[in-house]
Coordinates of all heavy atoms in Angstrom, one line a residue:
M28 N 140.6 94.0 61.5 CA 139.3 94.6 61.3 C 138.5 93.7 60.3 O 139.0 93.3 59.3 CB 139.4 96.0 60.8 CG 138.1 96.8 60.7 SD 138.3 98.5 60.3 CE 138.9 99.2 61.8
T29 N 137.2 93.5 60.6 CA 136.3 92.7 59.7 C 135.9 93.6 58.5 O 135.4 94.7 58.7 CB 135.1 92.3 60.5 OG1 135.5 91.5 61.7 CG2 134.2 91.4 59.7
P30 N 136.0 93.0 57.3 CA 135.5 93.8 56.2 C 134.0 93.9 56.2 O 133.3 93.0 56.7 CB 136.0 92.9 55.0 CG 136.6 91.7 55.5 CD 136.7 91.8 57.0
L31 N 133.5 95.0 55.7 CA 132.0 95.1 55.6 C 131.4 94.2 54.6 O 130.3 93.7 54.8 CB 131.6 96.6 55.3 CG 131.9 97.6 56.5 CD1 131.5 99.0 56.1 CD2 131.2 97.1 57.7
I32 N 132.1 94.1 53.4 CA 131.6 93.2 52.4 C 132.8 92.4 51.9 O 133.9 92.9 51.7 CB 131.0 94.0 51.2 CG1 129.9 94.9 51.6 CG2 130.6 93.1 50.0 CD1 129.4 95.9 50.5
E33 N 132.6 91.1 51.7 CA 133.6 90.2 51.2 C 133.0 89.1 50.4 O 132.0 88.6 50.8 CB 134.4 89.6 52.4 CG 135.7 88.9 52.0 CD 136.5 88.5 53.2 OE1 135.9 88.4 54.3 OE2 137.7 88.3 53.0
T34 N 133.6 88.9 49.2 CA 133.1 87.8 48.4 C 134.2 87.0 47.9 O 135.4 87.5 47.8 CB 132.3 88.3 47.1 OG1 133.2 88.9 46.2 CG2 131.2 89.3 47.5
G35 N 134.0 85.7 47.5 CA 135.0 84.9 46.9 C 134.4 84.0 45.8 O 133.4 83.4 46.0
D36 N 135.0 84.2 44.6 CA 134.5 83.4 43.5 C 133.0 83.5 43.2 O 132.4 82.5 42.8 CB 135.0 82.0 43.6 CG 135.0 81.2 42.3 OD1 135.1 81.9 41.2 OD2 134.8 80.0 42.3
L37 N 132.4 84.6 43.5 CA 131.0 84.8 43.3 C 130.6 84.7 41.9 O 131.1 85.4 41.0 CB 130.6 86.2 43.9 CG 129.1 86.5 44.1 CD1 128.6 85.5 45.1 CD2 129.0 87.9 44.6
S38 N 129.7 83.8 41.6 CA 129.2 83.5 40.2 C 127.7 83.2 40.2 O 127.2 82.7 41.2 CB 130.0 82.3 39.6 OG 131.4 82.5 39.7
K39 N 127.1 83.6 39.1 CA 125.7 83.3 38.9 C 125.4 82.9 37.5 O 125.8 83.7 36.5 CB 124.8 84.5 39.3 CG 123.3 84.3 39.1 CD 122.8 83.2 40.1 CE 121.3 83.0 40.0 NZ 120.9 81.9 40.8
R40 N 124.8 81.8 37.3 CA 124.4 81.3 35.9 C 122.9 81.3 35.9 O 122.2 80.9 36.8 CB 125.0 80.0 35.6 CG 126.5 80.0 35.6 CD 127.0 78.6 35.1 NE 126.7 78.4 33.7 CZ 127.5 78.9 32.7 NH1 128.5 79.7 32.9 NH2 127.2 78.7 31.4
F41 N 122.4 81.7 34.7 CA 121.0 81.5 34.4 C 121.0 80.6 33.2 O 121.2 81.0 32.1 CB 120.3 82.8 34.0 CG 120.2 83.8 35.2 CD1 121.2 84.8 35.3 CD2 119.3 83.6 36.2 CE1 121.1 85.7 36.4 CE2 119.2 84.5 37.3 CZ 120.2 85.5 37.4
R42 N 120.7 79.3 33.4 CA 120.8 78.2 32.4 C 122.2 78.2 31.8 O 123.1 77.9 32.4 CB 119.7 78.3 31.4 CG 118.3 78.1 32.0 CD 117.2 78.0 31.0 NE 116.0 77.9 31.7 CZ 114.8 77.9 31.1 NH1 114.7 78.2 29.9 NH2 113.7 77.8 31.8
T43 N 122.3 78.6 30.5 CA 123.6 78.6 29.9 C 124.3 80.0 29.9 O 125.5 80.1 29.5 CB 123.5 78.2 28.4 OG1 122.6 79.1 27.7 CG2 122.9 76.8 28.3
L44 N 123.7 81.0 30.4 CA 124.2 82.4 30.5 C 125.0 82.6 31.8 O 124.4 82.4 32.9 CB 123.1 83.4 30.4 CG 123.6 84.9 30.6 CD1 124.5 85.3 29.5 CD2 122.4 85.8 30.8
A45 N 126.3 82.9 31.7 CA 127.1 83.2 32.9 C 126.9 84.8 33.1 O 127.5 85.6 32.5 CB 128.5 82.9 32.7
A46 N 126.0 85.1 34.0 CA 125.7 86.5 34.3 C 126.8 87.2 35.1 O 127.2 88.4 34.9 CB 124.4 86.7 35.0
V47 N 127.4 86.5 36.0 CA 128.5 86.9 36.9 C 129.5 85.8 37.0 O 129.0 84.6 37.3 CB 128.0 87.4 38.3 CG1 129.2 87.8 39.2 CG2 127.0 88.5 38.2
E48 N 130.7 86.0 36.9 CA 131.7 84.9 36.9 C 132.9 85.3 37.7 O 133.7 86.2 37.3 CB 132.1 84.6 35.4 CG 133.0 83.4 35.3 CD 132.2 82.1 35.6 OE1 131.0 82.0 35.2 OE2 132.8 81.2 36.2
G49 N 133.1 84.6 38.9 CA 134.3 84.7 39.6 C 134.7 86.0 40.3 O 135.8 86.4 40.3
V50 N 133.7 86.7 40.8 CA 133.9 88.0 41.5 C 134.4 87.8 42.9 O 133.8 87.2 43.7 CB 132.7 88.9 41.5 CG1 132.9 90.2 42.3 CG2 132.2 89.2 40.1
S51 N 135.6 88.3 43.2 CA 136.2 88.3 44.5 C 136.5 89.8 44.9 O 137.2 90.5 44.2 CB 137.4 87.5 44.6 OG 137.1 86.1 44.4
L52 N 136.0 90.2 46.0 CA 136.2 91.6 46.5 C 136.2 91.7 48.0 O 135.7 90.8 48.7 CB 135.3 92.6 45.8 CG 133.8 92.4 46.1 CD1 133.3 93.2 47.3 CD2 133.0 93.0 44.9
R53 N 136.7 92.8 48.5 CA 136.8 93.0 49.9 C 136.6 94.5 50.1 O 137.4 95.3 49.6 CB 138.1 92.5 50.5 CG 138.3 92.7 51.9 CD 139.6 92.1 52.3 NE 139.9 92.4 53.7 CZ 140.0 91.4 54.6 NH1 140.0 90.2 54.2 NH2 140.2 91.7 55.9
V54 N 135.6 95.0 50.8 CA 135.4 96.4 51.1 C 135.5 96.6 52.6 O 134.8 96.0 53.4 CB 133.9 96.8 50.6 CG1 133.7 98.3 50.9 CG2 133.7 96.5 49.2
E55 N 136.5 97.4 53.0 CA 136.8 97.7 54.4 C 135.9 98.8 54.9 O 135.4 99.6 54.1 CB 138.3 98.1 54.5 CG 139.2 97.0 54.1 CD 139.3 95.8 55.0 OE1 138.8 95.9 56.2 OE2 139.8 94.7 54.6
P56 N 135.7 98.9 56.2 CA 134.9 100.1 56.7 C 135.5 101.4 56.3 O 136.8 101.5 56.2 CB 135.1 99.9 58.3 CG 135.3 98.4 58.4 CD 136.1 98.0 57.2
G57 N 134.7 102.3 55.9 CA 135.1 103.6 55.4 C 135.4 103.7 53.9 O 135.6 104.7 53.3
E58 N 135.5 102.5 53.2 CA 135.7 102.5 51.8 C 134.4 102.6 51.0 O 133.3 102.3 51.6 CB 136.4 101.2 51.3 CG 137.8 101.1 51.8 CD 138.5 99.8 51.3 OE1 137.8 98.8 51.1 OE2 139.7 99.9 51.1
V59 N 134.5 103.1 49.8 CA 133.3 103.2 48.9 C 133.5 102.3 47.7 O 134.6 102.3 47.2 CB 133.1 104.7 48.5 CG1 132.0 104.8 47.5 CG2 132.9 105.6 49.7
L60 N 132.5 101.6 47.3 CA 132.6 100.7 46.2 C 131.6 101.1 45.1 O 130.5 101.4 45.4 CB 132.3 99.2 46.6 CG 132.2 98.2 45.4 CD1 133.5 98.0 44.8 CD2 131.6 97.0 46.0
A61 N 132.1 101.2 43.9 CA 131.2 101.5 42.8 C 131.3 100.4 41.7 O 132.4 100.0 41.4 CB 131.5 102.8 42.1
L62 N 130.2 99.9 41.3 CA 130.2 98.9 40.2 C 129.9 99.6 38.9 O 128.8 100.2 38.8 CB 129.2 97.8 40.5 CG 129.4 96.9 41.7 CD1 128.3 95.9 41.8 CD2 130.8 96.2 41.6
L63 N 130.8 99.6 38.0 CA 130.6 100.3 36.7 C 130.7 99.3 35.5 O 131.5 98.4 35.6 CB 131.7 101.4 36.5 CG 131.8 102.4 37.6 CD1 133.0 103.3 37.3 CD2 130.5 103.2 37.6
G64 N 129.9 99.5 34.5 CA 130.0 98.6 33.3 C 128.8 98.8 32.4 O 127.8 99.5 32.8
P65 N 128.9 98.3 31.2 CA 127.8 98.5 30.3 C 126.6 97.6 30.7 O 126.6 96.8 31.6 CB 128.4 97.9 29.0 CG 129.5 97.0 29.4 CD 130.0 97.5 30.7
N66 N 125.5 97.9 30.0 CA 124.3 97.1 30.2 C 124.6 95.6 30.0 O 125.3 95.3 29.1 CB 123.2 97.5 29.2 CG 122.6 98.9 29.5 OD1 122.8 99.4 30.5 ND2 121.9 99.4 28.5
G67 N 124.1 94.8 30.9 CA 124.3 93.3 30.8 C 125.6 92.8 31.4 O 125.9 91.7 31.2
A68 N 126.3 93.7 32.1 CA 127.6 93.3 32.6 C 127.5 92.5 33.9 O 128.5 91.9 34.4 CB 128.5 94.5 32.8
G69 N 126.3 92.5 34.6 CA 126.2 91.7 35.8 C 126.1 92.6 37.0 O 126.2 92.0 38.2
K70 N 126.1 93.9 36.9 CA 126.1 94.8 38.1 C 124.9 94.5 39.0 O 125.0 94.3 40.2 CB 126.1 96.2 37.7 CG 127.2 96.6 36.8 CD 127.1 98.1 36.3 CE 125.9 98.4 35.5 NZ 125.9 97.8 34.2
T71 N 123.7 94.5 38.5 CA 122.5 94.3 39.3 C 122.4 92.9 39.8 O 122.1 92.7 41.0 CB 121.2 94.5 38.4 OG1 121.2 95.9 38.0 CG2 119.9 94.3 39.2
T72 N 122.8 91.9 39.1 CA 122.9 90.5 39.6 C 123.9 90.4 40.8 O 123.6 89.8 41.8 CB 123.3 89.6 38.4 OG1 122.4 89.7 37.4 CG2 123.4 88.1 38.9
T73 N 125.0 91.1 40.7 CA 126.0 91.1 41.8 C 125.4 91.7 43.0 O 125.5 91.1 44.1 CB 127.3 91.8 41.4 OG1 127.8 91.2 40.2 CG2 128.3 91.9 42.5
I74 N 124.7 92.9 42.9 CA 124.1 93.5 44.0 C 123.0 92.6 44.6 O 122.9 92.5 45.8 CB 123.5 94.9 43.6 CG1 124.7 95.8 43.2 CG2 122.7 95.5 44.7 CD1 125.6 96.1 44.3
R75 N 122.2 92.0 43.8 CA 121.2 91.1 44.3 C 121.7 89.9 45.1 O 121.2 89.5 46.0 CB 120.3 90.6 43.1 CG 119.4 91.7 42.6 CD 118.5 91.2 41.5 NE 117.6 92.3 41.1 CZ 117.0 92.3 40.0 NH1 117.0 91.3 39.1 NH2 116.2 93.4 39.7
M76 N 122.9 89.4 44.7 CA 123.6 88.4 45.4 C 124.1 88.9 46.8 O 124.0 88.3 47.8 CB 124.7 87.7 44.6 CG 124.1 86.8 43.5 SD 125.4 85.8 42.7 CE 126.3 87.1 41.8
L77 N 124.6 90.1 46.7 CA 125.1 90.7 48.0 C 124.0 91.0 49.0 O 124.2 90.8 50.2 CB 125.8 92.1 47.7 CG 127.2 92.0 46.9 CD1 127.7 93.4 46.6 CD2 128.2 91.2 47.7
A78 N 122.8 91.3 48.5 CA 121.7 91.5 49.3 C 120.9 90.3 49.6 O 119.8 90.3 50.3 CB 120.7 92.5 48.6
A79 N 121.4 89.1 49.2 CA 120.7 87.8 49.5 C 119.4 87.7 48.8 O 118.5 87.0 49.3 CB 120.6 87.5 51.0
I80 N 119.1 88.4 47.7 CA 117.9 88.3 46.9 C 118.1 87.1 46.0 O 117.1 86.4 45.7 CB 117.6 89.6 46.2 CG1 117.3 90.7 47.2 CG2 116.5 89.5 45.2 CD1 117.3 92.1 46.6
L81 N 119.3 87.0 45.5 CA 119.6 85.8 44.6 C 120.6 85.0 45.3 O 121.6 85.5 45.9 CB 120.2 86.3 43.3 CG 119.3 86.8 42.2 CD1 120.1 87.3 41.0 CD2 118.3 85.8 41.7
R82 N 120.5 83.7 45.1 CA 121.5 82.7 45.6 C 122.6 82.5 44.5 O 122.3 82.3 43.4 CB 120.9 81.4 46.0 CG 121.9 80.3 46.4 CD 121.2 79.1 46.8 NE 121.0 79.3 48.2 CZ 120.3 78.5 49.0 NH1 119.6 77.5 48.4 NH2 120.2 78.7 50.3
P83 N 123.9 82.7 44.9 CA 124.9 82.4 43.9 C 124.9 81.0 43.4 O 124.6 80.1 44.2 CB 126.2 82.7 44.7 CG 125.8 83.4 45.9 CD 124.4 83.1 46.2
S84 N 125.4 80.8 42.2 CA 125.6 79.5 41.7 C 126.8 78.9 42.2 O 127.0 77.7 42.4 CB 125.6 79.5 40.1 OG 124.5 80.1 39.6
R85 N 127.8 79.7 42.5 CA 129.1 79.3 43.1 C 129.6 80.5 43.9 O 129.3 81.6 43.6 CB 130.0 78.9 41.9 CG 131.3 78.4 42.4 CD 132.3 77.9 41.3 NE 132.8 79.1 40.6 CZ 132.7 79.3 39.3 NH1 132.1 78.5 38.5 NH2 133.2 80.4 38.8
G86 N 130.4 80.2 44.9 CA 131.1 81.2 45.6 C 130.4 81.6 46.9 O 129.4 80.9 47.3
W87 N 130.8 82.7 47.6 CA 130.2 83.0 48.9 C 130.2 84.6 49.0 O 131.0 85.3 48.4 CB 131.0 82.4 50.0 CG 132.5 82.6 49.9 CD1 133.4 81.7 49.3 CD2 133.2 83.6 50.5 NE1 134.7 82.2 49.4 CE2 134.6 83.4 50.1 CE3 132.9 84.7 51.2 CZ2 135.6 84.3 50.5 CZ3 134.0 85.6 51.6 CH2 135.3 85.3 51.3
V88 N 129.4 85.0 50.0 CA 129.3 86.4 50.3 C 129.3 86.5 51.9 O 128.6 85.7 52.5 CB 127.9 87.0 49.8 CG1 127.8 88.5 50.3 CG2 127.8 86.9 48.3
R89 N 130.0 87.5 52.4 CA 129.9 87.8 53.8 C 129.7 89.3 54.0 O 130.4 90.1 53.4 CB 131.2 87.4 54.5 CG 131.4 86.0 54.8 CD 132.5 85.7 55.8 NE 132.8 84.3 55.7 CZ 133.9 83.8 55.1 NH1 134.8 84.7 54.6 NH2 134.1 82.5 54.9
I90 N 128.7 89.6 54.8 CA 128.4 91.0 55.1 C 128.7 91.2 56.6 O 128.1 90.6 57.4 CB 126.9 91.4 54.8 CG1 126.6 91.0 53.3 CG2 126.6 92.8 55.1 CD1 127.3 91.8 52.3
D91 N 129.6 92.1 56.9 CA 130.0 92.4 58.3 C 130.3 91.1 59.1 O 129.9 91.0 60.2 CB 128.9 93.2 59.0 CG 129.4 94.0 60.2 OD1 130.6 94.2 60.3 OD2 128.6 94.3 61.0
G92 N 131.0 90.2 58.4 CA 131.4 89.0 59.0 C 130.4 87.8 59.1 O 130.7 86.8 59.6
H93 N 129.2 88.1 58.5 CA 128.2 87.1 58.6 C 127.9 86.5 57.1 O 127.8 87.3 56.2 CB 126.8 87.7 59.1 CG 127.0 88.3 60.4 ND1 126.9 87.5 61.6 CD2 127.1 89.5 60.9 CE1 127.0 88.2 62.6 NE2 127.2 89.5 62.2
D94 N 127.9 85.2 57.1 CA 127.6 84.6 55.8 C 126.2 85.0 55.3 O 125.2 85.0 56.1 CB 127.7 83.1 55.9 CG 129.1 82.6 56.1 OD1 130.0 83.3 55.7 OD2 129.3 81.5 56.6
S95 N 126.1 85.3 54.0 CA 124.8 85.8 53.5 C 124.1 84.7 52.8 O 124.7 83.7 52.3 CB 125.1 87.0 52.6 OG 123.9 87.5 52.1

């Protein structure tokens, strides 16, 4: 079965700031994912990369088997 969301080594840098570093995850159909953390932890940046609003500095995203 194809995962709905899959990432590998997903990372985003803004100049010298590592906003997201090395996120790898796999969400199967029927699963629920929650991103929890304090302000500045990279939750919004991660979601923006999953939605193809931001391009990752490193790594990859696949949504329903399609490269994002």
Side-chain angles (χ1 to χ4, degrees):
M28 184 176 286
T29 302
L31 289 180
I32 302 171
E33 190 173 23
T34 69
D36 196 28
L37 193 61
S38 302
K39 181 63 177 176
R40 295 189 71 82
F41 295 101
R42 295 186 184 172
T43 60
L44 173 69
V47 175
E48 189 67 39
V50 174
S51 295
L52 59 88
R53 183 180 175 117
V54 181
E55 298 291 341
E58 291 183 328
V59 175
L60 172 70
L62 295 177
L63 303 174
N66 291 346
K70 301 175 300 290
T71 300
T72 301
T73 300
I74 294 299
R75 287 179 177 166
M76 288 189 288
L77 292 176
I80 296 168
L81 280 178
R82 173 175 270 169
S84 301
R85 186 178 71 233
W87 51 270
V88 175
R89 281 193 200 107
I90 305 295
D91 200 21
H93 301 280
D94 291 333
S95 182

